[in-house]
Amino acid sequence: MTTALLTMKKISKVFETEELETHALKDISFTINKGDYVSISGPSGCGKSTLLSIMGLLDVSTTGEYFIEGVNVTDLTLDQAAEVRNAKIGFIFQSFNLIDELSVFDNVALPLRYSSEKPNSKKIKQRVTQCLEQVGLSHRIAHKPNQLSGGQQQRVAIARALVAEPAILLVDEPTGNLDSKSGDLVMDVLEKLNESGTTICMVTHDPRYADMAKTKIQLLDGTILQAPLVKIAS
Ligand SMILES: Nc1ncnc2c1ncn2[C@@H]1O[C@H](COP(=O)(O)OP(=O)(O)OP(=O)(O)O)[C@@H](O)[C@H]1O
Ligand SMILES: [Mg+2]
């Protein structure tokens, strides 16, 4: 049985400045099920990052409704949104956003130390070690981010995104700062994670990487262009 993890119904986003109104997203509707691997692609400025920000509760839509695991999360307060985000969403960005002063271990442990569950240090060590194994970086646990290659840093960022066992990984241009060999390695890690059950939604410019996803969403000027494989929400 497929379980709807995330559903968007007629989501629109308008950015207003004094001189300009930008309709970044127009009537976007789709569902992502548990275990899906979805790619979002389209030209610069078409609304990919805006969509991912709304999916990740980093921003709110102007109109429309958004559900995570059947719960309406459209109109949460900032605190409620942060709570759902910490519990359900793992983020991976183009710029790895690691903290240079902290070791790989402490970077990956960070979300657990800030989680409401506050696991003890033994549990934290277990989980961090497990996630670093999943991304093939157990041997770099005591290094600092600036002692690692770009591809390794991105894999640390993946481990950090995984550590609190999110329901979905939201990934924005994960290979944008990487050479093609490191990029391929990062994509291999994401593919393996999906094979072992992790739900992934990834923004990418690279058609090769977009094709690795099971479901492809093409955006153009804030609308879903043509998506025969996308399950449109009713
Ligand atoms: N905070 C903001 N204020 C005003 N306009 C914005 C804001 N954020 C995004 N936009 C506009 O919304 C549109 C969509 O932007 P978005 O960043 O989602 O594009 P994108 O598809 O991610 O592009 P890229 O591939 O270049 O990353 C663009 O026209 C952009 O200028
Ligand atoms: Mg973007």
Side-chain angles (χ1 to χ4, degrees):
M1 203 186 83
T2 49
T3 318
L5 189 62
L6 194 153
T7 301
M8 299 216 142
K9 290 187 181 175
K10 292 183 176 283
I11 290 287
S12 295
K13 177 70 179 180
V14 183
F15 290 110
E16 281 184 63
T17 58
E18 270 171 31
E19 333 65 84
L20 195 69
E21 230 183 40
T22 306
H23 291 256
L25 296 173
K26 302 165 194 160
D27 267 354
I28 299 283
S29 300
F30 62 87
T31 293
I32 295 180
N33 289 321
K34 210 165 176 296
D36 272 352
Y37 189 167
V38 178
S39 67
I40 301 176
S41 37
S44 182
C46 72
K48 303 180 296 295
S49 296
T50 304
L51 180 56
L52 215 63
S53 295
I54 294 171
M55 287 167 78
L57 300 173
L58 292 170
D59 199 355
V60 289
S61 61
T62 310
T63 56
E65 283 186 307
Y66 178 30
F67 299 82
I68 297 179
E69 292 175 339
V71 177
N72 192 333
V73 292
T74 318
D75 295 314
L76 300 181
T77 63
L78 285 178
D79 283 352
Q80 288 169 332
E83 200 172 305
V84 177
R85 191 165 58 236
N86 291 340
K88 302 285 179 198
I89 316 270
F91 289 100
I92 297 159
F93 298 102
Q94 178 172 341
S95 51
F96 326 119
N97 297 350
L98 299 173
I99 299 175
D100 284 336
E101 291 72 29
L102 297 182
S103 67
V104 164
F105 180 94
D106 287 327
N107 266 285
V108 176
L110 217 54
L112 293 179
R113 295 195 166 125
Y114 283 99
S115 77
S116 50
E117 283 171 42
K118 300 250 179 302
N120 63 31
S121 53
K122 191 176 162 208
K123 277 232 173 73
I124 291 180
K125 192 170 176 202
Q126 248 173 14
R127 182 71 193 137
V128 170
T129 311
Q130 193 183 18
C131 290
L132 284 170
E133 261 166 35
Q134 278 182 286
V135 300
L137 280 178
S138 309
H139 59 305
R140 292 286 184 266
I141 200 159
H143 283 60
K144 295 272 169 62
N146 61 14
Q147 298 171 318
L148 302 177
S149 71
Q152 288 172 332
Q153 290 187 49
Q154 188 59 300
R155 285 187 281 146
V156 173
I158 295 174
R160 182 187 53 189
L162 283 174
V163 81
E165 301 182 73
I168 186 165
L169 284 186
L170 298 180
V171 191
D172 198 352
E173 294 287 0
T175 61
N177 283 338
L178 303 177
D179 61 77
S180 66
K181 197 167 154 234
S182 313
D184 287 353
L185 258 173
V186 163
M187 295 308 298
D188 284 349
V189 168
L190 290 177
E191 201 167 26
K192 286 211 181 72
L193 287 173
N194 177 250
E195 279 164 11
S196 58
T198 307
T199 312
I200 298 177
C201 180
M202 172 183 67
V203 165
T204 179
H205 270 108
D206 191 324
R208 246 176 358 120
Y209 295 150
D211 281 346
M212 289 166 88
K214 295 173 192 156
T215 303
K216 284 168 256 181
I217 296 179
Q218 283 278 352
L219 278 186
L220 184 66
D221 293 338
T223 51
I224 293 183
L225 183 60
Q226 156 250 36
L229 298 173
V230 174
K231 297 162 279 287
I232 303 294
S234 53

